[in-house]
Structure formats: C-alpha cells, structure tokens
Amino acid sequence: MANDAAAEEVQAEQPAEPSLSDIGLVGALARLLDEQMVKKQIKPRIDGPKVPLLKAYESGQSELVVRIGDDLIGRYKVNVAQPKVVVDPDNEEALNEYADEHGGIEVIIRRNPKWEEALLKYAEYDEDTGQIVDTRTGETVPGLKYDKGGNPTGSVTWTWEQKDVGRKRLARHYREGHLNHLLQETPELMAGPRPAAEDAQR
C-alpha cells in the first residue's frame, strides 16, 4: 500500500507532456520572435512541432492548425514525397541491359547519369499495364518502378494564416499575456520586450 501511494505521488510530480497544439503554438511564437529579435536560444523552438507532428502523421494527422480560441494563427503541414518513377534497386541489371541497347552506358561501364536523368524525366507509369514506359519511344523500360509517394519527407512547412493576419493575432495575444501559461517552460520566449503592433506587420 505504501509503495502504491509513493508511486502515485511520483507520478503526480511528473509534469504532463505538452499537447501537439501547445507545441505548435510555442513554435509559432518562436517564429514570430525570431523574425523580430533573431535570438540563438529561440531557434530550437521554431521547429519544435516537427518531431511530434511527424509522429502524429503515422496515425493519420498531416497538419497542425495553430489557434488561440477562435483566432486562427497558422498551420504546420507535413511535407510528403511526390509520386515519381525511380530506379528499382532490385532490378538494376535489367536497366543496365536496356541502357546498353539505348546508348545509356558510359565507357566506365555504368549508366550515364545524364541519360538516366533524361530517362526518368520522360518515363511514365502506365496504370493499366503496371509498366514504366519511355514516352519518347513508347518502349517499356525494365529496371524501373513506380514510387507512389505520400511518405513524409522528414520536414514540415509553416504557413501564417492569411499572410500577416496570423502573425498579428499571435503578437496581440502574446502582448496581452494570454500565452504566459505555455511559456513557463520556455523562459527564453518571455525575455525582452513584448512585440509591438507594428512588429507584427513585418
């Protein structure tokens, strides 16, 4: 019983992890302050939402909308790879043979990178046949595969709501102290003067 009570007490002492929404809001504020003050200690906060948002992407969340009450501030969006035709590492020998027949082999016995770049530029995936076709010749190209994309690239993009509207809203809430509860663990974002209204218009 005593051990259970002690364990509960230790658990109660541990601060709860901030929500993804709170991390996003702190990241947006760090961006706002970085634009105005350029402080080294703020930089790590700017992309603070990146890792938890990429983790949330695994569960289907691709975007984080940052808001304070009804005020929309901006959004973080997970960047995803676009679909494209790529060299199939499991079938490179077939591509090498194709390259040899079509002038894509260099004297050092490797595919000419410029030839490969051009081939990939003109290669298209045929949905009906499942084959990759060189649109210049109409031939099926062995050794290529279709990469459907959609996987996270490992980066996120931040966009202010309506260009400067989100920036102005966030600056106003910051000046008025509405974010102080979030900033107790980030004192570097509370140091210095609060941004003035004209700062938010930059």
Side-chain angles (χ1 to χ4, degrees):
M1 291 281 197
N3 286 344
D4 290 345
E8 283 176 20
E9 191 175 313
V10 169
Q11 231 175 6
E13 289 173 8
Q14 294 175 347
E17 268 193 44
S19 69
L20 183 53
S21 295
D22 287 349
I23 294 170
L25 190 51
V26 169
L29 181 59
R31 283 178 185 282
L32 177 69
L33 297 178
D34 186 58
E35 291 169 4
Q36 297 163 12
M37 297 189 277
V38 192
K39 288 188 172 184
K40 254 198 226 176
Q41 62 267 38
I42 288 176
K43 296 256 183 229
R45 298 287 178 189
I46 290 174
D47 287 323
K50 177 180 165 182
V51 171
L53 183 55
L54 288 173
K55 187 174 181 181
Y57 183 85
E58 295 169 11
S59 304
Q61 182 176 350
S62 63
E63 184 174 78
L64 170 62
V65 176
V66 177
R67 60 175 69 244
I68 302 171
D70 292 335
D71 285 342
L72 188 57
I73 304 302
R75 64 193 75 235
Y76 285 94
K77 186 168 177 55
V78 174
N79 297 325
V80 295
Q82 295 301 306
K84 62 182 177 180
V85 175
V86 296
V87 173
D88 183 353
D90 297 331
N91 201 10
E92 275 204 76
E93 193 52 46
L95 182 57
N96 286 338
E97 290 174 21
Y98 183 84
D100 188 33
E101 293 169 13
H102 291 83
I105 296 291
E106 291 183 311
V107 177
I108 56 171
I109 315 299
R110 67 170 185 166
R111 286 188 310 278
N112 179 330
K114 290 187 185 287
W115 177 88
E116 184 176 306
E117 185 180 333
L119 175 66
L120 292 174
K121 179 180 176 184
Y122 290 101
E124 283 187 5
Y125 176 68
D126 184 328
E127 188 78 37
D128 296 330
T129 65
Q131 301 292 316
I132 307 294
V133 177
D134 185 337
T135 57
R136 299 169 296 181
T137 64
E139 291 182 82
T140 298
V141 184
L144 297 181
K145 67 178 183 176
Y146 181 66
D147 181 347
K148 64 181 180 174
N151 294 322
T153 62
S155 63
V156 297
T157 301
W158 167 259
T159 309
W160 288 106
E161 176 64 17
Q162 298 178 41
K163 284 196 171 180
D164 287 335
V165 172
R167 183 182 280 115
K168 291 174 186 176
R169 288 173 178 167
L170 183 59
R172 185 185 79 240
H173 283 284
Y174 181 65
R175 275 194 318 277
E176 294 172 0
H178 299 159
L179 306 177
N180 290 353
H181 67 287
L182 288 176
L183 302 176
Q184 291 170 354
E185 299 298 319
T186 56
E188 67 274 17
L189 299 183
M190 293 195 58
R194 303 281 168 143
E198 57 272 13
D199 292 335
Q201 295 174 18
R202 291 177 35 166

